[in-house]
Amino acid sequence: MRSGKIAPAYYIYGDEAYWHDRLISLLSDAFPDGTEHVSGDETTWQELQELLAQPSFFGPRLWVVRGAKHLFDQKPETWHISVAPGNCLLLSAITKNNPAPKALTQAISNAGGVVIKVAEPSWREAANWVRERLRSDGYTITRDAVETLILVAGRSIERLDKEIEKLELFVHPDNRITADHVLTVVAPDPQMNTFAFVDAVATRDRVKAFSEVEELVTRGVSPIFMIAVLGSHFGLMWRAKESSNKGITQDSLGKALGVHPYAARKALEQSRRWTFSQLEKAMRLLCHVDESLKTGKMDPVSSMDYVLVNLFA
């Protein structure tokens, strides 16, 4: 696209909204006087086909269809696509899974179009994106600050982009961002901010753990989600403890566990507060509560109190 070559059709799906907006913006810039925005529930595939197949007398024209999933639900007889020279179609579906029928994606490919999947990036991808995003604006960020930013805000590029804008305004006219800046400015993601709760449990801070649970429940975070996060972390602490006993160094621990080095170091440090027997008991407890919640045998409101009382017993 940057080379000036634009495909006749684009279909982008995935739950990372930032890239949907980014692609729409880039294509709209290429069609400054001829961009039309429609919703998937306000048009039909037949209407779009008629518009796309007709050469425009007023110059190149881009048709952007947001909420394209509604369009796919119509199920026309055929998904044939024909785009007149100079026209372009962009279908956007912000969904985790691909809602388009195979016949449509095949038709887009046959017409010389492009199908793009965008999903939440890995930790490494998010960290690299943060550094590059700041570098392009003339800013630098410390390693600890990158780790803290992703831990607090999550890996969503859309959220990270908004938080970076706030950080740049906060540190200006300086151009170096530190972990202290992140902790001062960045708003925690309600789901990702369970790390404070997990830390409290992992470090056996009973008072803080109960306080964090109360705050998470107030924000609407489900007990099932909290149980899942705790279970994952206890499993990580077990593997970190086991790997350390086998002689794996801290420098190699992240690679051995398949997680970021920072998360590996932290899990190892916390695991020293627990014996293998205690870790096993905790994981069995979490599995039991998870199953009880999903089968309706336990009240969600009191489930986390039950978990914490037994973990700290």
Side-chain angles (χ1 to χ4, degrees):
M1 189 184 301
R2 290 179 179 176
S3 64
K5 186 177 181 180
I6 297 176
Y10 294 87
Y11 167 44
I12 180 171
Y13 72 94
D15 53 5
E16 187 57 80
Y18 173 88
W19 295 116
H20 289 256
D21 292 338
R22 182 66 176 150
L23 179 58
I24 290 171
S25 176
L26 287 172
L27 281 174
S28 296
D29 288 344
F31 293 84
D33 300 318
T35 300
E36 299 287 344
H37 294 264
V38 296
S39 175
D41 58 359
E42 295 176 347
T43 187
T44 66
W45 184 249
Q46 183 177 351
E47 290 173 347
L48 276 176
Q49 273 300 284
E50 292 174 356
L51 292 169
L52 290 165
Q54 294 295 325
S56 173
F57 296 105
F58 302 100
R61 187 167 294 278
L62 167 68
W63 296 91
V64 177
V65 182
R66 293 179 182 267
K69 182 180 182 302
H70 297 290
L71 189 68
F72 305 152
D73 292 339
Q74 296 173 14
K75 300 178 181 179
E77 293 183 3
T78 176
W79 287 105
H80 174 73
I81 180 171
S82 177
V83 182
N87 289 342
C88 181
L89 171 66
L90 170 57
L91 301 171
S92 168
I94 304 179
T95 56
K96 185 174 184 178
N97 298 315
N98 183 5
K102 291 183 179 179
L104 174 60
T105 56
Q106 187 61 52
I108 291 174
S109 297
N110 292 342
V114 180
V115 177
I116 305 169
K117 177 183 179 180
V118 290
E120 186 176 80
S122 66
W123 181 293
R124 182 184 297 275
E125 290 169 339
N128 289 339
W129 184 88
V130 167
R131 294 189 187 96
E132 179 58 28
R133 167 74 167 75
L134 286 165
R135 187 197 64 77
S136 66
D137 288 347
Y139 290 82
T140 61
I141 185 169
T142 65
R143 177 181 174 181
D144 285 348
V146 173
E147 294 175 348
T148 304
L149 174 60
I150 297 174
L151 280 171
V152 174
R155 289 176 288 157
S156 165
I157 297 299
E158 183 179 23
R159 277 190 57 83
L160 289 171
D161 186 59
K162 292 177 181 178
E163 299 303 336
I164 284 173
E165 290 181 359
K166 289 159 58 177
L167 283 166
E168 290 178 346
L169 289 172
F170 183 76
V171 302
H172 187 77
D174 292 335
N175 63 356
R176 183 172 181 269
I177 296 171
T178 67
D180 286 340
H181 293 143
V182 173
L183 292 172
T184 301
V185 174
V186 175
D189 177 77
Q191 298 288 309
M192 287 301 297
N193 200 36
T194 53
F195 80 88
F197 162 62
V198 171
D199 280 353
V201 174
T203 57
R204 293 182 171 275
D205 188 335
R206 182 188 181 97
V207 174
K208 185 170 178 59
F210 275 96
S211 175
E212 289 294 334
V213 162
E214 184 177 355
E215 184 176 343
L216 289 172
V217 171
T218 301
R219 290 209 306 267
V221 179
S222 74
I224 291 178
F225 180 82
M226 287 186 266
I227 293 293
V229 172
L230 271 184
S232 176
H233 192 71
F234 270 96
L236 180 61
M237 286 196 293
W238 174 288
R239 292 189 292 123
K241 193 178 188 72
E242 186 177 52
S243 296
S244 179
N245 287 351
K246 291 180 179 179
I248 296 177
T249 64
Q250 286 198 27
D251 291 338
S252 304
L253 191 59
K255 184 176 181 180
L257 299 180
V259 298
H260 191 275
Y262 176 82
R265 292 194 302 269
K266 195 168 188 178
L268 177 60
E269 180 182 340
Q270 293 169 340
S271 73
R272 292 173 178 145
R273 299 171 182 263
W274 303 78
T275 65
F276 278 112
S277 177
Q278 290 171 331
L279 289 172
E280 181 181 2
K281 180 181 177 182
M283 288 187 284
R284 289 183 181 276
L285 168 68
L286 293 169
C287 286
H288 167 68
V289 174
D290 180 67
E291 183 179 356
S292 297
L293 284 170
K294 291 176 179 176
T295 56
K297 296 179 181 179
M298 183 174 288
D299 175 28
V301 176
S302 60
S303 61
M304 292 311 300
D305 286 343
Y306 175 81
V307 166
L308 294 183
V309 167
N310 281 274
L311 284 177
F312 293 128

